[in-house]
Amino acid sequence: RAPRRLSSASTWCRSARSFHGPLRSPTVATRLLQKLRHHKRSPSRAARSRGRVRNRRATCRARRARIARTTGCDRATRRRSAFRDRANDLDALLTSIASDMAARAPAWLPDERTRRTLSLNKEEDLRDTLALVKTILSKIVEAPEEKKFRRLRASSRAVQTRLLGRPGGRELLKELGAKSRDDAVEFGGADAATLAAALAWCDAFAPTTGVELKISLPRGPALRAAFGKDETLRDATAFVDACAPSGAPHVLGTARPPEKFEDRLDRTLDFLGPRAALVATPAAADPAAGEKAVDAARQKALC
């Protein structure tokens, strides 16, 4: 084992004799001394790694201390502040997105029956109907005080052929607040803000296409509506329950052949084809009453 201080070769030789015995040659002693001195100047790899780690830690501590003196807060406080800033930025972003979506979305929306009935029109007929409605509404919005723009002659050819004579035209006017009086259709109770929102809805309206259904009810006129191919019998049943005069739950089925779909509500409507006629009967707990309702609805559909 080499001594800590190697001031001269004689000192080393005296120390080496006590451990390794007498040296045979001074040349060997000189070479060993050079090796030991080189080993003292060059530390091991582990020592060098530990030194680098200590230097990095000291540098980081000095940098943190300098930043703390400059900003007046420690590292944990800065992290909490940065997290709060990011959370505030995220809240502001979400608020702006919500306000933008609310501004783009139409504030006025007609009921489901009006939307599905309008979708029964052909594409060019639907565009023509909505163009006429937008023309009428834009005139009212531009001059809300002019009474002549709020009154339509129901017997005019344009109103009859392009609006009232097409599916969903009367329902759309009713949703807009128009009332029929004698030979006129008046928009007396509709405010300018609602009509402006209706204009935006006319521009953004996308019709539902795929399956056209004619649904006969036990009482009242039959329902005609358009559904998508991916919609199910459950959606059609919910539409009938919302639009039927009785408001009771109904069961859909066919008249020819007589069949009820109460156990297949999750089946899509594409199996019915592009056009189909269905019969809606009230869901009764009494089987005899249910059969009578089915027979009455079937006879009404066949007539």
Side-chain angles (χ1 to χ4, degrees), residues 75 82 86 92 114-116 119-120 123 149 152 169 201-202 237 250 274:
R75 185 178 183 182
R86 287 195 295 268
T114 303
R115 299 194 304 269
R116 292 191 182 277
S119 300
L120 293 173
E123 185 177 357
F149 294 145
L152 300 177
W201 177 85
C202 291
T237 305
H250 291 77

Side-chain angles (χ1 to χ4, degrees), residues 81 132 136 226 256:
S81 177
L132 178 59
I136 297 171
R256 292 181 181 177

